[in-house]
Amino acid sequence: MAENREGKLAILRVSDDLSKEQLMGDGDISTNTSQPVKHEKNLITLNELMPHTKSIQEIATGSELLLAYELGRYAKHLLGKELSLTGISISKDLLSEEHFSFVVSNGLDVGFEIERKELADYSKNARYYFTKKVDGVDFKAKTQKQVVYDFEHNTEANRIMQGDNRSAAYVSLIAYIMVKSLRDEVPTPKLLIDHETYTHQNLEYVDLFILKNYGNKILKDLVEIIYSQAAGAQPDWEAFVIFHRQKGLMNKEYTITEKFNHLKENFEVGDVVLYYKRKKSAKDDTIKKLTHCHPAVISGIENGSVKLEWYPIIQTRLTRRVELDEIKQISKERKKESIYMFDDYEDFTICNETFHLTELGIDTCTFSELNFFIKLIDFDGSHQWLKTNEGEKYVWMSTLDTIYAVFEDRGVDYNKEKFLSTYFQPSNREPIYDQYVQASTTKE
């Protein structure tokens, strides 16, 4: 159900002058928001460094902490000012995680005093962070509206971007562009990473994807990534996992009790979820490649198991008919007999499976399981044929609209009232399918 678009994550090294105590999180500090840091003339705020369309009230992801850290480094380097996050809150679930520990240990003024004993140990992942500067990166092209980065344009100059810490290096690169634009008093240009023929690492663009799609979506309109899909890249999926791991979720093997408690607290029979299958891989690969994604309805919950009813054909009746007619026509032109029969046009396979909780990941209580389900997300979508008052029309629909259209058209049994109240009514949104059904009915 995805028509994929862009990229991923990578890694880096902590500054060499950090002490062992800093890396291990030893010392003497706990979060104390009652002692704000005083403002001085050489300080600059986070929102002064943001593009004009953005105003940040709370840092919501670990990747946003990395961006703040990088903006602070270039504010000092290019503007001679110190960044202070005074007045900006930080999501509580980040305070005990590694990104927060890294930025504090490396000098970011988070706006309140902290006791070092409360900081997480990030020494095992220190190589993932970036502490160098990207001034010498050679861009492939530059205009007032866009800068284009391609590693292979100048591999010598751009080698600084090729460590284990590539993901954090890209964050540093966009931070440099943002601060330099502020210094030069020009609008921040869009960063296009042109890597269509470049062989990238797993997780290479993950921080950029998180900054584009999660939290404050700071880079939603500031970064575009063109990358090769030859190796089966799944940067959206990688970003989903890492975003949750930055908050302390999806980062361990969960017990049956933990899974069952999460299931009972967040789901009930009749709920619609996204059911995924992953490819088996090396034991230390806990993200794993996705192989299948299907909408599913929870049809049963017991102490140690979950029943799912999932649907491999995500097409309205009309979409199915048009698709098979096109295949039939191609077969006719090639003077071959069509492999599809009348029954194929009406086919809507329903798969019923019962999973023991040891083999099924439950939403954010998922780690290495090859089967899992999550709450619905609305990143992708599909084209579907619908009847309109102007005839049949090929309509683009988001994931939520696609599921609703197919379920309604096919008569799937699910909790429709909860589905609409959860995903459509809060934003006063009417499903596209209902709009066309009403129009078609009105015409008749």
Side-chain angles (χ1 to χ4, degrees):
M1 149 155 310
E3 293 186 6
N4 241 6
R5 296 165 170 71
E6 308 175 357
K8 272 198 180 170
L9 163 110
I11 338 177
L12 300 152
R13 165 193 320 129
V14 162
S15 57
D16 297 332
D17 59 351
L18 289 182
S19 66
K20 182 178 180 182
E21 288 72 23
Q22 284 178 306
L23 289 173
M24 297 305 295
D26 294 331
D28 185 72
I29 13 188
S30 100
T31 306
N32 181 355
T33 55
S34 63
Q35 300 183 35
V37 177
K38 292 183 180 180
H39 272 287
E40 299 176 1
K41 289 184 179 180
N42 68 333
L43 295 183
I44 191 168
T45 67
L46 182 62
N47 283 323
E48 288 178 280
L49 296 171
M50 287 290 108
H52 294 307
T53 56
K54 290 290 181 183
S55 179
I56 307 302
Q57 305 302 318
E58 178 183 74
I59 290 179
T61 71
S63 299
E64 289 179 6
L65 281 171
L66 285 188
L67 180 61
Y69 163 74
E70 294 292 346
L71 289 169
R73 291 203 303 134
Y74 291 112
K76 184 173 183 178
H77 178 56
L78 299 176
L79 306 177
K81 294 189 176 185
E82 298 280 347
L83 171 63
S84 173
L85 298 187
T86 298
I88 304 291
S89 61
I90 299 174
S91 179
K92 290 182 179 179
D93 48 15
L94 298 177
L95 301 181
S96 59
E97 300 302 321
E98 293 180 9
H99 286 73
F100 182 75
S101 177
F102 169 76
V103 300
V104 169
S105 297
N106 281 269
L108 179 64
D109 174 5
V110 294
F112 51 86
E113 293 185 2
I114 303 153
E115 299 217 354
R116 194 164 301 282
K117 64 184 179 182
E118 301 294 333
L119 295 178
D121 171 17
Y122 68 91
S123 60
K124 292 181 180 178
N125 294 318
R127 69 185 186 280
Y128 297 156
Y129 300 104
F130 192 72
T131 55
K132 298 178 181 179
K133 292 187 176 67
V134 298
D135 309 54
V137 165
D138 186 13
F139 292 101
K140 184 177 180 178
K142 290 183 185 179
T143 67
Q144 289 184 337
K145 294 185 177 181
Q146 179 174 274
V147 294
V148 180
Y149 171 77
D150 176 3
F151 168 72
E152 293 173 347
H153 168 67
N154 186 337
T155 57
E156 187 61 35
N158 297 338
R159 195 166 301 282
I160 192 173
M161 304 289 291
Q162 287 291 290
D164 283 343
N165 52 9
R166 296 179 199 187
S167 180
Y170 291 120
V171 177
S172 188
L173 188 63
I174 187 61
Y176 169 73
I177 292 169
M178 291 167 69
V179 177
K180 185 175 182 297
S181 298
L182 180 65
R183 185 198 67 182
D184 297 344
E185 299 182 336
V186 297
T188 303
K190 183 177 185 176
L191 170 62
L192 172 63
I193 297 176
D194 183 6
H195 277 172
E196 190 169 9
T197 61
Y198 160 91
T199 303
H200 58 258
Q201 291 182 337
N202 288 338
L203 301 175
E204 177 146 345
Y205 312 113
V206 74
D207 282 301
L208 292 183
F209 264 72
I210 292 172
L211 288 164
K212 283 168 62 65
N213 298 327
Y214 294 92
N216 292 289
K217 300 182 180 180
I218 297 171
L219 301 185
K220 181 180 179 181
D221 301 315
L222 267 184
V223 173
E224 179 181 352
I225 306 164
I226 300 174
Y227 63 95
S228 171
Q229 302 236 15
Q234 295 180 342
D236 285 317
W237 165 236
E238 291 178 340
F240 179 86
V241 174
I242 299 301
F243 162 72
H244 284 93
R245 289 184 179 177
Q246 288 178 356
K247 293 173 170 287
L249 304 169
M250 300 184 78
N251 63 356
K252 66 166 191 167
E253 298 288 359
Y254 293 89
T255 66
I256 292 177
T257 299
E258 288 173 320
K259 290 181 181 181
F260 187 72
N261 288 341
H262 186 74
L263 178 65
K264 295 295 288 184
E265 290 171 6
N266 294 277
F267 300 94
E268 60 186 7
V269 172
D271 282 356
V272 182
V273 297
L274 289 177
Y275 166 56
Y276 287 91
K277 298 180 182 181
R278 289 193 281 188
K279 185 177 181 180
K280 192 172 183 179
S281 61
K283 188 175 181 180
D284 60 352
D285 176 13
T286 58
I287 293 181
K288 306 182 189 301
K289 300 287 186 185
L290 299 175
T291 58
H292 296 85
C293 172
H294 307 285
V297 176
I298 298 176
S299 56
I301 297 175
E302 298 178 5
N303 284 337
S305 64
V306 179
K307 294 180 181 179
L308 293 181
E309 188 174 273
W310 56 274
Y311 311 91
I313 299 175
I314 311 303
Q315 294 176 317
T316 61
R317 287 183 174 87
L318 181 57
T319 307
R320 178 76 169 171
R321 191 199 77 194
V322 171
E323 181 183 86
L324 296 187
D325 281 349
E326 288 176 350
I327 295 173
K328 191 174 181 179
Q329 181 60 33
I330 292 171
S331 297
K332 185 177 179 180
E333 291 171 357
R334 294 177 179 176
K335 297 182 179 181
K336 293 183 179 180
E337 186 176 345
S338 174
I339 62 173
Y340 293 107
M341 307 298 288
F342 176 79
D343 289 346
D344 293 313
Y345 283 77
E346 296 301 316
D347 183 32
F348 183 65
T349 305
I350 300 174
C351 301
N352 289 282
E353 287 193 64
T354 299
F355 297 92
H356 193 274
L357 290 180
T358 55
E359 62 180 348
L360 183 70
I362 307 296
D363 194 43
T364 55
C365 287
T366 295
F367 190 58
S368 62
E369 298 89 346
L370 297 182
N371 299 281
F372 67 95
F373 70 77
I374 62 173
K375 294 177 182 177
L376 298 181
I377 51 178
D378 209 17
F379 281 167
D380 299 301
S382 70
H383 281 95
Q384 299 285 333
W385 283 96
L386 297 176
K387 289 183 179 180
T388 76
N389 54 6
E390 298 174 351
E392 297 174 353
K393 188 174 181 180
Y394 198 44
V395 181
W396 167 258
M397 295 184 178
S398 68
T399 296
L400 296 177
D401 269 305
T402 295
I403 292 172
Y404 182 80
V406 173
F407 279 18
E408 287 299 295
D409 188 66
R410 297 286 192 165
V412 172
D413 184 17
Y414 70 109
N415 191 334
K416 176 180 176 179
E417 182 178 348
K418 184 177 180 181
F419 184 90
L420 291 173
S421 65
T422 301
Y423 299 109
F424 286 88
Q425 292 171 6
S427 56
N428 295 317
R429 173 178 164 191
E430 183 181 11
I432 292 175
Y433 179 80
D434 285 353
Q435 297 173 37
Y436 283 117
V437 168
Q438 291 170 11
S440 178
T441 303
T442 301
K443 182 181 178 182
E444 293 173 2

